[in-house]
Amino acid sequence: MDPIFAAASSTEIAGDLVALVIAAVVGGYVAHLIRMPLVVGYIVGGLIVGPSVSNLVTDIDDVAFVGELGVALLLFSIGLEFPLEQFRRLGYRLFVAATIQIAVLGLVGYAVASSFGLSDAGATLVAGATAFSSTALLVRLLSEEGSRRRADGRWVLGVALVQDLVAVPLLVVLPQLGEGTGTELMEEILIAAAKGVGLVVAVLVLGPVIVPWVLRRALAVRSRELFLMSVFALASGVALGSFAVGLSLAFGAFLAGLVTAQSVYASRALHELVPLRDLFAATFFVSIGVLLDVGVVGDEWGLFLSILAWGALGKILLIFALARWAHFDYSRALRMGLLLGQVGEFSFLFAEAAAEGPAEEAGSIIIALGAVSMGVSAAIIRFGDRIERVLLRVPRVAARWTFEPEAELPGPALRQHTVIAGYGETGRELARALRRRDFRFLIVDSDPNLPEELGGTETPYIWGDLANPATLDGASLGDARVLALTIPDPVVTEAVVRRVRAEFPRVQIVVRGAGAMSHGRLLAAGAAEVVHPNLEVGLEIARHTLSRYGVPYAEIRMAQAQRRQEYRR
């Protein structure tokens, strides 16, 4: 190639990458200003600089490669922190629900796509894209809310990871669709599957030997960047090996993450990789906006809107029903449906699979579905509380919105006890403290795993929804000394405090706050004490730090008390 043309090409690629980064920064900043998730800003920013609007970014192939690399890094990190033990605790209902969701969404998506004239191969790709949600978006939303460790957060993340497990082998088979018919097609699929199995066996056999050896030597040099580059080299090496045998980069990256997760260096690798992963994940969302072809949406608006409605609204309703079957209350089930109600990043990979075959006509539609549904889903999740309030105004809905509690109260009647409403990490710490002093307490929570965890033990509990007045009616609040509300939902907390204060004026109510703005409202509602987790963490860290400078303990305690007073004003 002529050096002049090579330089021009390099400059064009660099310009496109700069435009992508600027679009991410500006879009993310605007989204933050209007209190929208950053993902919405990334996708819209990519749309603006892409061919559909300003045409600042023109080389679609380079953008597609950056996006695919972002997905590969995401799948590597998913494999790296794959929660096998967490899956076991969530139980069989998770796997049944995820399987039903994938099957129903996929089958109906295929039927809808076929009804609009897509080929069998194209309809299959659309069905696959429709069935899977965005793990990248889900992790971001759960992290922003701080709800990743809650029961509903663990459950939706588990469903998303089951989807990923199904999608990864599909990426092996889907590129073969349309390459032949009958026996020829079956042979191609079997060859692709054999390659996938061979790669899995090779990685699982050699990985436990090679990965620790490489990372151990990288750590011995005591160089952070060398360790990071070693992790990146392992991930990209397996990903490129996957690509070399005709499979996807993402499939190989996921395998590399699984193998690395089995070593003692998994947490360190994840810690070092997170900034790089987040950078490429942001770039991926921008690339989705760039690849969005508004013209295709206009030309195929009937197919687009039908699949979008089924992949978003249909998925929300189906996840809601499955979450209720898994014994989640209506509020959590609605939020779980909203969190999973979109067409995810696998739409990008399925579009890549469609790019060079008879299913090519489905590629642009699939990318448009992913871009629009992820943007809408990220925006609408912020209005979950308002959606719930609107639903509660519908006749007969309010009466069915909560579920009847189940109680197990072994031993003598409870008196002078503590009612712990919310058995998450905070509630468990309180229970341990009370148990050490032999103080009696009662657990109240809507976690579906609560009956299995506490059933048959000596710990009394009520499994029920706090929004249902009957739940707390069996908690003997008239004889209780303290009600400790540890749930992180300020709306439900305030409603419970007002009701309990009106009906049981003698019980002392200690609640978990949600920032300075919630303090006055909760005190006015009847709380005796409001504890703010972020404030207390900051004060404890400050105490440990100041004590190492020799500051007297009494002075530190006085400063803490003063800061608490300032925070409450």
Side-chain angles (χ1 to χ4, degrees):
M1 179 184 289
D2 191 301
I4 296 178
F5 291 106
S9 177
S10 300
T11 302
E12 185 177 343
I13 294 173
D16 287 345
L17 291 176
V18 170
L20 287 178
V21 174
I22 292 175
V25 172
V26 175
Y29 183 70
V30 172
H32 174 73
L33 289 179
I34 62 176
R35 297 184 178 181
M36 283 290 174
L38 298 181
V39 171
V40 177
Y42 296 154
I43 294 175
V44 174
L47 176 63
I48 291 174
V49 301
S52 293
V53 180
S54 68
N55 205 30
L56 291 176
V57 176
T58 56
D59 196 329
I60 298 299
D61 290 337
D62 288 335
V63 172
F65 175 75
V66 171
E68 189 170 359
L69 183 58
V71 176
L73 279 176
L74 172 68
L75 285 178
F76 176 75
S77 65
I78 289 173
L80 199 58
E81 55 178 346
F82 197 70
L84 294 173
E85 179 61 24
Q86 175 179 305
F87 273 3
R88 187 189 66 79
R89 291 198 303 267
L90 289 173
Y92 76 95
R93 288 179 182 269
L94 170 71
F95 297 95
V96 173
T99 302
I100 292 173
Q101 180 258 308
I102 293 171
V104 173
L105 265 295
L107 289 173
V108 176
Y110 178 88
V112 173
S114 296
S115 69
F116 279 88
L118 286 186
S119 65
D120 290 343
T124 300
L125 287 168
V126 170
T130 306
F132 303 110
S133 303
S134 173
T135 305
L137 179 61
L138 177 62
V139 169
R140 279 181 172 270
L141 293 174
L142 291 177
S143 298
E144 289 176 8
E145 296 177 349
S147 57
R148 190 170 174 178
R149 294 186 177 183
R150 282 167 28 190
D152 52 338
R154 295 196 307 269
W155 198 85
V156 292
L157 184 58
V159 170
L161 289 176
V162 172
Q163 292 177 357
D164 293 345
L165 280 178
V166 175
V168 167
L170 279 180
L171 291 174
V172 176
V173 176
L174 285 178
Q176 313 304 321
L177 291 175
E179 295 294 328
T181 57
T183 305
E184 182 182 354
L185 176 60
M186 183 58 64
E187 289 178 357
E188 293 291 336
I189 291 177
L190 290 175
I191 290 173
K195 289 179 179 178
V197 172
L199 182 64
V200 170
V201 172
V203 170
L204 294 181
V205 171
L206 299 177
V209 178
I210 296 175
V211 170
W213 186 87
V214 171
L215 297 184
R216 188 184 308 117
R217 275 148 186 77
L219 280 176
V221 180
R222 298 184 182 277
S223 171
R224 180 179 179 184
E225 60 267 25
L226 182 59
F227 182 82
L228 174 60
M229 291 303 295
S230 299
V231 173
F232 187 76
L234 287 169
S236 58
V238 179
L240 289 175
S242 173
F243 185 76
V245 298
L247 307 177
S248 70
L249 288 172
F251 179 69
F254 182 76
L255 284 180
L258 280 179
V259 172
T260 308
Q262 308 309 312
S263 71
V264 296
Y265 308 105
S267 59
R268 175 70 182 270
L270 182 62
H271 172 74
E272 298 291 352
L273 189 69
V274 163
L276 187 64
R277 179 200 65 185
D278 291 346
L279 173 63
F280 275 97
T283 309
F284 161 70
F285 286 117
V286 179
S287 69
I288 284 288
V290 172
L291 296 172
L292 172 58
D293 189 341
V294 177
V296 170
V297 174
D299 294 339
E300 302 287 348
W301 64 269
L303 171 62
F304 174 78
L305 291 179
S306 298
I307 297 295
L308 180 65
W310 177 241
L313 182 59
K315 189 176 291 183
I316 290 172
L317 295 175
L318 183 57
I319 292 294
F320 174 84
L322 292 170
R324 287 289 302 123
W325 171 74
H327 296 150
F328 284 96
D329 59 83
Y330 283 90
S331 291
R332 291 188 183 184
L334 172 63
R335 191 160 193 81
M336 292 155 76
L338 294 175
L339 284 168
L340 290 171
Q342 78 284 131
V343 176
E345 57 270 359
F346 278 103
S347 61
F348 180 87
L349 299 178
F350 291 157
E352 286 290 303
E356 299 180 358
E360 185 176 358
E361 80 276 13
S364 297
I365 289 292
I366 292 173
I367 290 178
L369 287 169
V372 174
S373 67
M374 280 193 279
V376 172
S377 176
I380 202 172
I381 193 66
R382 295 294 178 91
F383 302 101
D385 293 338
R386 298 181 185 180
I387 294 173
E388 183 177 354
R389 293 190 185 100
V390 171
L391 291 174
L392 289 175
R393 294 173 186 167
V394 178
R396 297 185 180 181
V397 170
R400 300 176 57 86
W401 199 248
T402 59
F403 63 94
E404 292 299 317
E406 296 180 11
E408 184 168 323
L409 308 173
L414 293 169
R415 295 185 62 85
Q416 295 297 303
H417 58 288
T418 296
V419 177
I420 304 175
Y423 199 49
E425 190 172 356
T426 304
R428 291 171 191 272
E429 288 300 323
L430 174 57
R432 289 189 189 97
L434 294 172
R435 190 179 288 114
R436 281 195 297 266
R437 296 299 302 270
D438 290 329
F439 293 146
R440 301 205 66 189
F441 59 89
L442 168 68
I443 304 296
V444 180
D445 202 306
S446 58
D447 187 340
N449 296 318
L450 190 70
E452 181 180 351
E453 180 179 350
L454 298 181
T457 68
E458 296 183 356
T459 302
Y461 70 88
I462 296 177
W463 177 58
D465 179 8
L466 287 172
N468 186 346
T471 299
L472 287 177
D473 286 346
S476 302
L477 283 170
D479 297 318
R481 174 170 290 192
V482 180
L483 168 63
L485 275 164
T486 69
I487 58 175
D489 189 330
V491 176
V492 175
T493 296
E494 183 179 343
V496 172
V497 169
R498 292 187 183 279
R499 175 177 173 267
V500 172
R501 177 55 61 225
E503 297 184 19
F504 308 100
R506 292 191 300 177
V507 67
Q508 296 293 304
I509 305 176
V510 180
V511 302
R512 171 177 176 163
M517 297 296 293
S518 69
H519 192 88
R521 294 183 60 88
L522 291 171
L523 289 178
E529 192 67 48
V530 182
V531 180
H532 300 278
N534 292 337
L535 172 65
E536 295 303 322
V537 169
L539 291 177
E540 276 299 292
I541 292 177
R543 179 178 70 83
H544 286 287
T545 302
L546 293 174
S547 66
R548 281 155 178 77
Y549 280 97
V551 178
Y553 181 71
E555 183 178 336
I556 295 175
R557 295 284 293 178
M558 186 179 299
Q560 288 180 325
Q562 182 178 353
R563 176 59 189 136
R564 289 189 180 98
Q565 291 296 326
E566 294 172 352
Y567 191 84
R568 296 170 180 176
R569 292 171 186 168

